[in-house]
Amino acid sequence: MAVETVRKPYVRQRSAWWWTKNPRYVLFQFRELSSVFVVLYAFLVLWQLWALRGGSDAYYAFLVMWYSRPMMALNAVILAFAILHSVTWFALTAKVPLFRIKGRPPPAALVIGASLAIWVALSLLIVKLLYGGF
Amino acid sequence: MADRGTKMIKLRISRYRPERSGEPFDQEFTIPYRDDMVVLDALNYIKDHIDPTLTYRWSCRMGICGSCGANVDGTPKLTCALYLRDLKKRPVLIEPLANFAVLKDLVVDIEPFMEKLEAAKPYIIRKDERPIERGEYRQTPEELELYRQQSLCINCMLCYSACPVYGHDEKFLGPAASALALRYELDSRDQGSEERLAAVATEHGIWQCTFVGECSVVCPKHVDPAGAIQQLKALAATRLMKAMLLPLAPR
Amino acid sequence: MAAAEVDRVTPMFWGLFSAGGFVVAFLLPVFIFMNSLAYGLHVVPWEKVEYGGALRWIRGDPATALLGSTLGWLGGWLPKLFLVLIIGGGLFHGLHRFKYVLYDVGLHRAKKVLDPILYGIAAAGTVAAVVLAFSFP
Amino acid sequence: MERLAYDIVIVGGGAAGLRAAIAAAETSRSLRIAIVSKVYPMRSHTVSAEGGTAAVLRDYDSFDGHGFDTVKGSDFLADQDAVEFFVRRAPPEVIQMEHWGCPWSRDPDGRIAVRAFGGMTVKRTVFAADKVGFHMLHTLFQTSLKYENIERLDEWFVTQILAEGGKAVGVAALELRSGTLHAIAAKAVVIATGGAGRVYEFTTNGAIKTGDGMALALRAAAPLKDMEFLQFHPTCLPGTGILITEAARGEGGYLINNKGERFLKKYVPEKMELGPRDILSRSILQEIREGRGFQGPYGQYVGLDLRHLGEDVINKKLPMVRELAEEYAGVDPVHEPIPVRPGQHYIMGGVHTDVRGSTGVPGLFAAGEAACVSINGANRLGSNSLSECLVFGGEAGRSAAAYAISQPAVGSNPISGLVKAEEARIFDGLLKREGGENLAEVRSDMQHTMEENVGIYRNGDSLEKALAHVRELRRRYERVGVRDKDPFFNTELTTTLELDFMLDLAEAIANAALLRRESRGAHSRTDYPKRDDANFLHHSMAFRTATGLRFDKLPVKITKWQPAARVY
Ligand SMILES: Cc1cc2nc3c(=O)[nH]c(=O)nc-3n(C[C@H](O)[C@H](O)[C@H](O)COP(=O)(O)OP(=O)(O)OC[C@H]3O[C@@H](n4cnc5c(N)ncnc54)[C@H](O)[C@@H]3O)c2cc1C
Ligand code: SF4
Ligand code: F3S
Ligand code: FES
């Protein structure tokens, strides 16, 4: 071989802060983070059920903690993430056409809009049905 | 050839010369600027008039051959379809496509991408081949419309450059190859669904995608690979679950 | 590329993840609001949240009342089912996603260990939810 | 050195090369085939073809119809036996593409749709919206992945055809990724390197269309045919040269001057916008010269008006036209005419072959735009060349396969000895050269000369001037220095090699044009404005000799259609 050449493909390292470079990546990270809060809330409710099982004293102790300021704040944060999850999830599922209109997948905006409408209606229905209204 | 009085523009280009230095470095160039210049024109100006060693790929300069991708100001773009006038920052920062190994200057290693493309079995698979003399397979415009969007991929790899999952898992099948798999899945002439779904539903296949969605944002041909992957997932999951629930049913 | 093994496990959990995603998206926000914040914001009275109110809720009293006599039997089931869906869906959805968060920070090599742990927790939590919720009359 | 040996080496991964590879692979599973391409196959310039590919598919159509249109379009310079062969084989090729998954546009009943095209008397141009080349190339490329006996050497730049005892025995190729020159042994070599538009300044062709294969063949003792015939496409975006497909007119678009008139009524009243390209290009130039063009930053132009077609038709049938006009001319064709002017587009000439793709040099075959069979004669009809790539690509692949099978196994005979000189030329010569000349300047000088003097109109004086200038540029080329001294992925080195090829071709083109003292098809001499069948009804053949180019004549084969006046 006449010519010896060096060649080292350069593999760049991704910084741990890659996601801060683009607002859409930030949103994505928050969406992913919502999973932590969803899981956390599932456990909190299990705890709540356990306390309710434990009788009136146990449940009152739980309620004192539940309606403390820090816990209220945490729950508000969890709610915010839950809403973020809902909205991004509707955007996501709009990409998977479950049905077709005149042979074409429905436009994403339509699917998202319909999902949001169903979401609001369903929430009101639950308030009415399970909680007997406000 | 800078005329007197012409506007100038400054570009910062990330360069890598493996035979000179072990690390990439940035170099700045200031060149005359016209309003109708795309980024590729600027690169060509530098190569022709300032530094012929600058290395990058291009050919069609009409957004169809897919060779001229680079990260411009941090976003993967076709340099032949990106006007300098639309860029706000100065200097304009030009780097090789992210998530790929750099060979030289703006040239990245495409081989991993080619392997993925091939792995997705992007061709018609038929159990029975109709002889050519018997003519074409009929396909209505509606049937064509079903996969048309996914057939528009120019293999420019911008989507891979934008996908953070591909950024940490170089084995991830990735957006474009998945979109191509879906393109053949949805083609009324194809009968290779089982084989192809098996090929993409692997450990580093479609399940790795966490639906960041940035691939679809950067895709210059509106292929929507993000949507394509979710559709593939739904197809593969229902297929597998059916197979498990009804082990005796024809798949 | 060498033919890679078909992954038969992930699609199952992906199915649960998507189903859970729907449940969480549609049901969770309103539940968090009613269960955690409504009282603090003075939208619901104390009687509804104290021990007795909570017991009445899980027995399905409000629902039974609303559904009337013909569908009333459903009322007792609804809150329990609702809780199981939220807890199970939330766990399977959230932990699947959390798995990828962990992969993303570099733990993808630990797939063999992570998967059983995370899906195991989801399954255990769901079973606990069923047992607890249906232990109420 | 790693020894590379194949049964067949195909140079080029465009439509012609890929079709050849698949045809060879299907001939015998035991043949080892390599596609050597300087770019990844899906980057080949076939990708940019927009309008369509012609084939007789309908009852109202006939082989004679397609044949006669082609021959008339060629101004009777096409070989009619080749044309007859071509029109019969085009339909099965188009169907074959369909079977491989090409997303052809369809009629409502599911049949492959056809559209009108310039010079074709009936609708016979098959299309996939207006991304025909793109879809064909990707279909062929993706299909080629199925064949285990097709290997690819992507981003390998062929610098020489290796010959021994008058036979082609392989190629020398520069592997860009390693910067090494390899000898690749092959029993048969197929050239499918596409056109040479970059010889010109204003062209629809991509950066890689530098005519390498034609120059390689010429150097390997194969003759070039009809190099004076270059097609100028009437509708290109000023500035970039980006093509606005003929389909825009096929679907009903108008050409208008600055008075808003459809000026073609003065030139081709019968056909109007669907006249052949050579005539349309000259008409536009005439309008501009007479002061009826629009003035723009890149000189004068005329308008391509699609407004009356409406947004729906434009989106459905011409989506890429809208995309290109918006992106690259800042004009939305739904609301405004698109600025257009003629530009170099296609080369009718190329490596001389017969209908089987044989060049006459044993073991050397050619197909596609790089070859000249000739079915295109003095002017190609739009949408014939993609079909040509399929038909003759396939033929060349099968011929190469048959030839390779007939040859003894590639022996132990060390072919690497053959590249020693080439290695020295490139690595010791070119790469070390410190010249005072600038590559880009010599290149643009050549392009400018060709544009000015060997363009749509030429004459004896301009051609003499061009020829002298190109020879001068050849001398300047010898002093072009290469600044990038690293052999690895050296695109400065490859563009220098490309310029070397292009200078050979520029000379052949100018010289052939000078010798043809008549006007025929796309070759329009102001000093000889008439067609002269008595003296020039022949192909011009260029051979390379130690002292320069030698030209010869080859009679045109006429079967059914006697030369007649070409009026539209
Ligand atoms: C803008 C445009 C629109 C067109 N539209 C139409 C149309 O609508 N209908 C129609 O019929 N025709 C059309 N044409 C013409 C047609 O597209 C071309 O003639 C045809 O695609 C040529 O194909 P090919 O395979 O011969 O070459 P190409 O596709 O150009 O491929 C050449 C191949 O050779 C390789 N190569 C070249 N040199 C070397 C080397 N030194 N070493 C290694 N590899 C090398 C390249 O890498 C490439 O893979 C159009 C052309 C253009 C430019
Ligand atoms: S999907 Fe889009 S971004 Fe990705 S390779 Fe294809 S065209 Fe490029
Ligand atoms: S960006 Fe990546 S994670 Fe999925 S949706 Fe696109 S492939
Ligand atoms: S140069 Fe072909 S896509 Fe940009």
Side-chain angles (χ1 to χ4, degrees):
Chain A
M1 198 186 297
V3 190
E4 284 288 347
T5 54
V6 206
R7 86 183 156 74
K8 303 177 294 263
Y10 187 83
V11 181
R12 290 163 288 176
Q13 291 302 318
R14 189 171 69 172
S15 103
W17 299 101
W18 58 270
W19 52 275
T20 56
K21 297 217 176 76
N22 174 335
R24 282 183 304 267
Y25 286 150
V26 176
L27 180 68
F28 158 75
Q29 288 294 50
F30 272 77
R31 192 194 76 192
E32 293 304 278
L33 206 60
S34 73
S35 69
V36 175
F37 290 94
V38 168
V39 171
L40 177 64
Y41 199 71
F43 283 118
L44 288 176
V45 176
L46 275 177
W47 180 12
Q48 185 180 19
L49 275 177
W50 182 254
L52 192 61
R53 266 279 47 192
S56 120
D57 284 356
Y59 196 64
Y60 278 112
F62 175 84
L63 285 182
V64 170
M65 180 279 300
W66 198 232
Y67 290 116
S68 65
R69 278 190 182 278
M71 202 58 200
M72 290 278 283
L74 176 66
N75 276 326
V77 172
I78 294 178
L79 178 61
F81 274 101
I83 292 172
L84 175 71
H85 164 81
S86 301
V87 174
T88 52
W89 184 260
F90 298 145
L92 189 158
T93 50
K95 297 281 187 180
V96 188
L98 296 173
F99 59 95
R100 298 184 191 284
I101 301 171
K102 290 193 201 128
R104 291 189 188 215
L110 185 84
V111 179
I112 296 174
S115 305
L116 287 174
I118 294 173
W119 179 44
V120 171
L122 198 63
S123 298
L124 291 175
L125 182 73
I126 287 168
V127 170
K128 184 88 188 127
L129 192 61
L130 288 186
Y131 293 89
F134 288 125
Chain B
M1 285 204 272
D3 295 335
R4 272 157 292 128
T6 44
K7 279 190 286 180
M8 305 294 279
I9 189 167
K10 193 191 266 183
L11 306 125
R12 179 180 298 152
I13 302 180
S14 163
R15 306 201 57 180
Y16 176 55
R17 323 286 302 165
E19 278 141 292
R20 316 259 140 181
S21 80
E23 293 275 317
F25 55 93
D26 285 351
Q27 192 175 352
E28 288 193 354
F29 296 93
T30 304
I31 61 164
Y33 166 81
R34 271 181 295 107
D35 231 18
D36 58 356
M37 257 170 109
V38 293
V39 174
L40 179 63
D41 293 330
L43 295 176
N44 282 337
Y45 184 90
I46 295 169
K47 189 165 183 78
D48 286 353
H49 299 108
I50 304 175
D51 184 353
T53 70
L54 185 66
T55 307
Y56 50 94
R57 295 186 177 103
W58 72 290
S59 175
C60 72
R61 52 82 183 91
M62 56 191 276
I64 191 79
C65 75
S67 41
C68 67
N71 272 36
V72 182
D73 286 341
T75 309
K77 289 282 184 189
L78 292 180
T79 56
C80 73
L82 179 64
Y83 283 92
L84 287 168
R85 62 166 187 258
D86 294 335
L87 296 168
K88 298 284 163 307
K89 288 204 205 104
R90 296 290 179 270
V92 176
L93 178 63
I94 307 173
E95 299 162 300
L97 284 179
N99 300 341
F100 291 95
V102 187
L103 295 180
K104 185 173 183 175
D105 291 350
L106 301 176
V107 174
V108 296
D109 187 1
I110 297 187
E111 284 305 313
F113 170 73
M114 297 301 281
E115 282 167 18
K116 294 176 208 312
L117 214 58
E118 206 164 336
K121 298 188 186 285
Y123 33 76
I124 298 276
I125 299 173
R126 293 212 42 113
K127 301 196 168 65
D128 58 318
E129 189 58 60
R130 184 209 298 241
I132 298 294
E133 306 77 61
R134 301 240 336 264
E136 73 252 52
Y137 298 113
R138 295 285 177 105
Q139 183 170 69
T140 62
E142 291 74 32
E143 286 170 325
L144 169 67
E145 192 56 31
L146 279 187
Y147 67 89
R148 197 182 60 85
Q149 187 180 22
Q150 286 81 27
S151 75
L152 296 177
C153 170
I154 60 172
N155 299 350
C156 64
M157 316 189 308
L158 300 193
C159 50
Y160 284 76
S161 184
C163 174
V165 171
Y166 183 62
H168 71 75
D169 176 10
E170 76 275 1
K171 291 197 192 128
F172 172 39
L173 181 70
S178 306
L180 211 52
L182 185 69
R183 174 245 176 278
Y184 283 96
E185 280 300 300
L186 299 179
D187 192 320
S188 59
R189 296 165 289 187
D190 184 70
Q191 302 174 330
S193 180
E194 202 178 332
E195 225 179 291
R196 194 174 301 104
L197 280 183
V200 298
T202 53
E203 188 186 335
H204 293 279
I206 49 180
W207 308 115
Q208 289 307 100
C209 161
T210 53
F211 199 74
V212 179
E214 193 63 10
C215 52
S216 289
V217 174
V218 301
C219 175
K221 297 291 143 181
H222 312 295
V223 173
D224 190 12
I229 304 183
Q230 314 321 309
Q231 288 183 53
L232 270 184
K233 284 183 192 167
L235 272 176
T238 37
R239 192 72 51 89
L240 258 157
M241 289 208 228
K242 245 191 225 155
M244 279 188 188
L245 296 176
L246 311 164
L248 297 178
R251 293 179 190 178
Chain C
M1 208 194 292
E5 188 78 9
V6 183
D7 187 342
R8 285 174 199 286
V9 183
T10 314
M12 298 286 297
F13 288 109
W14 184 81
L16 289 167
F17 156 81
S18 336
F22 270 108
V23 169
V24 170
F26 281 115
L27 306 183
L28 191 61
V30 64
F31 180 59
I32 298 177
F33 181 77
M34 293 308 286
N35 190 39
S36 303
L37 300 170
Y39 169 70
L41 296 174
H42 311 294
V43 228
V44 294
W46 174 245
E47 302 87 74
K48 284 204 175 186
V49 298
E50 51 81 44
Y51 181 66
L55 272 183
R56 277 196 301 283
W57 182 83
I58 201 160
R59 275 209 315 266
D61 290 357
T64 311
L66 272 171
L67 289 168
S69 51
T70 30
L71 285 174
W73 57 273
L74 242 174
W77 284 81
L78 276 179
K80 296 169 184 123
L81 213 59
F82 184 66
L83 285 174
V84 169
L85 275 177
I86 285 183
I87 296 173
L91 288 178
F92 273 104
H93 176 82
L95 287 169
H96 178 90
R97 215 172 225 182
F98 187 59
K99 174 176 102 168
Y100 286 99
V101 172
L102 294 180
Y103 280 14
D104 199 21
V105 296
L107 289 178
H108 49 286
R109 271 171 231 94
K111 180 176 162 59
K112 291 249 150 27
V113 193
L114 271 183
D115 284 17
I117 293 182
L118 293 176
Y119 294 125
I121 294 176
T126 310
V127 170
V130 173
V131 171
L132 271 176
F134 285 92
S135 69
F136 292 94
Chain D
M1 176 188 284
E2 179 199 357
R3 228 180 86 85
L4 290 158
Y6 294 92
D7 292 298
I8 301 171
V9 160
I10 292 162
V11 188
L18 288 166
R19 186 66 191 89
I22 296 174
E26 285 188 334
T27 304
S28 163
R29 297 265 156 190
S30 61
L31 287 170
R32 277 185 73 222
I33 297 146
I35 298 174
V36 185
S37 175
K38 66 180 175 182
V39 295
Y40 280 85
M42 65 275 186
R43 318 291 190 217
S44 303
H45 205 59
T46 294
V47 82
S48 66
E50 297 167 29
T53 188
V56 174
L57 291 181
R58 289 295 151 87
D59 294 340
Y60 58 69
D61 204 354
S62 69
F63 292 136
D64 273 359
H66 190 188
F68 177 67
D69 286 348
T70 302
V71 169
K72 183 177 173 192
S74 82
D75 219 346
F76 296 90
L77 193 74
D79 284 324
Q80 297 180 5
D81 56 342
V83 171
E84 288 187 62
F85 180 95
F86 164 71
V87 296
R88 279 170 198 282
R89 274 168 180 70
E93 283 296 334
V94 165
I95 306 282
Q96 177 65 76
M97 287 297 293
E98 195 277 340
H99 283 214
W100 283 332
C102 191
W104 296 129
S105 293
R106 305 282 181 153
D107 280 349
D109 65 359
R111 287 187 305 168
I112 299 172
V114 285
R115 66 162 42 131
F117 233 67
M120 302 280 185
T121 42
V122 298
K123 286 189 181 180
R124 69 164 69 95
T125 295
V126 175
F127 59 102
D130 56 0
K131 299 197 175 187
V132 180
F134 163 80
H135 283 305
M136 285 177 64
L137 185 69
H138 281 253
T139 302
L140 283 166
F141 171 64
Q142 288 160 12
T143 302
S144 79
L145 299 175
K146 270 199 306 203
Y147 296 86
E148 278 172 12
N149 53 338
I150 299 180
E151 288 171 41
R152 290 199 329 270
L153 303 176
D154 295 332
E155 299 195 322
W156 286 47
F157 186 105
V158 173
T159 67
Q160 193 189 23
I161 293 167
L162 301 174
E164 211 175 31
K167 288 204 296 195
V169 293
V171 297
L174 188 63
E175 180 187 16
L176 290 186
R177 283 180 68 106
S178 72
T180 11
L181 190 76
H182 295 275
I184 310 173
K187 295 179 191 165
V189 175
V190 180
I191 293 183
T193 51
R198 287 278 153 174
V199 173
Y200 282 78
E201 197 163 48
F202 187 68
T203 175
T204 64
N205 288 190
I208 57 172
K209 297 200 78 169
T210 48
D212 307 3
M214 300 178 196
L216 288 168
L218 189 65
R219 293 170 186 190
L224 298 183
K225 186 159 76 188
D226 293 341
M227 293 299 283
E228 62 273 40
F229 297 105
L230 291 128
Q231 180 163 77
F232 294 83
H233 195 289
T235 57
C236 313
L237 296 181
T240 52
I242 290 172
L243 178 88
I244 298 301
T245 174
E246 187 158 312
R249 283 170 283 127
E251 297 296 342
Y254 300 151
L255 282 172
I256 54 169
N257 61 18
N258 68 7
K259 300 206 158 58
E261 301 162 336
R262 287 176 71 190
F263 56 87
L264 289 172
K265 60 180 184 268
K266 284 179 289 190
Y267 307 90
V268 266
E270 293 279 308
K271 291 265 165 154
M272 295 299 288
E273 278 80 5
L274 289 177
R277 291 178 179 172
D278 52 342
I279 300 179
L280 256 50
S281 287
R282 286 195 288 270
S283 312
I284 293 174
L285 220 60
Q286 201 58 35
E287 268 323 271
I288 289 176
R289 284 186 182 173
E290 290 170 15
R292 287 186 296 277
F294 299 91
Q295 184 61 46
Y298 299 97
Q300 308 248 357
Y301 62 86
V302 298
L304 174 61
D305 195 349
L306 305 182
R307 288 174 297 187
H308 54 286
L309 299 181
E311 186 161 358
D312 245 27
V313 171
I314 294 178
N315 282 345
K316 239 208 184 100
K317 300 235 169 118
L318 305 166
M320 181 144 151
V321 166
R322 191 171 184 190
E323 206 177 297
L324 290 173
E326 283 181 342
E327 288 260 314
Y328 295 96
V331 161
D332 181 354
V334 172
H335 304 297
E336 271 174 280
I338 309 171
V340 291
R341 57 166 273 209
Q344 195 287 339
H345 179 55
Y346 182 86
I347 179 157
M348 271 69 78
V351 183
H352 163 68
T353 72
D354 60 15
V355 291
R356 304 284 173 201
S358 306
T359 61
V361 174
L364 188 62
F365 302 82
E369 194 171 339
C372 177
V373 181
S374 128
I375 62 158
N376 298 315
N379 173 60
R380 167 183 76 107
L381 287 192
S383 77
N384 263 353
S385 73
L386 286 171
S387 306
E388 175 180 3
C389 288
L390 295 175
V391 170
F392 294 108
E395 277 310 304
R398 280 184 287 274
S399 305
Y403 177 85
I405 291 168
S406 77
Q407 292 295 299
V410 180
S412 50
N413 163 15
I415 187 170
S416 52
L418 291 175
V419 290
K420 283 278 177 292
E422 185 68 352
E423 254 173 13
R425 177 177 83 100
I426 292 170
F427 296 119
D428 302 333
L430 267 180
L431 203 54
K432 298 216 172 108
R433 203 150 79 187
E434 303 281 352
E437 289 285 355
N438 176 302
L439 167 72
E441 273 166 32
V442 176
R443 187 176 56 209
S444 66
D445 210 346
M446 168 193 73
Q447 290 165 335
H448 190 68
T449 301
M450 295 299 284
E451 191 77 37
E452 287 284 291
N453 301 308
V454 201
I456 295 179
Y457 289 110
R458 44 299 281 260
N459 61 54
D461 289 344
S462 73
L463 291 168
E464 298 267 15
K465 207 164 110 193
L467 202 51
H469 197 73
V470 167
R471 287 181 180 142
E472 165 61 22
L473 287 170
R474 167 56 72 190
R475 281 188 287 280
R476 282 175 60 191
Y477 171 79
E478 300 305 328
R479 295 193 300 276
V480 166
V482 178
R483 289 242 304 267
D484 190 345
K485 300 296 179 194
D486 305 338
F488 161 70
F489 225 108
N490 189 331
T491 54
E492 192 191 3
L493 177 63
T494 52
T495 39
T496 309
L497 288 163
E498 285 169 348
L499 178 57
D500 183 18
F501 294 140
M502 287 195 288
L503 285 168
D504 277 10
L505 298 181
E507 183 179 352
I509 293 168
N511 207 337
L514 184 62
L515 293 175
R516 186 176 287 276
R517 289 188 297 278
E518 64 160 351
S519 288
R520 182 187 295 273
H523 175 67
S524 191
R525 287 210 29 181
T526 48
D527 45 353
Y528 298 95
K530 291 238 154 51
R531 193 173 87 192
D532 178 0
D533 285 342
N535 293 305
F536 289 101
L537 189 59
H538 62 69
H539 300 293
S540 53
M541 307 280 280
F543 297 82
R544 190 170 147 116
T545 70
T547 53
L549 291 172
R550 177 175 67 81
F551 281 86
D552 215 341
K553 297 172 179 176
L554 188 75
V556 172
K557 289 202 197 70
I558 290 173
T559 58
K560 290 188 177 155
W561 300 290
Q562 287 308 313
R566 180 167 168 253
V567 278
Y568 286 99

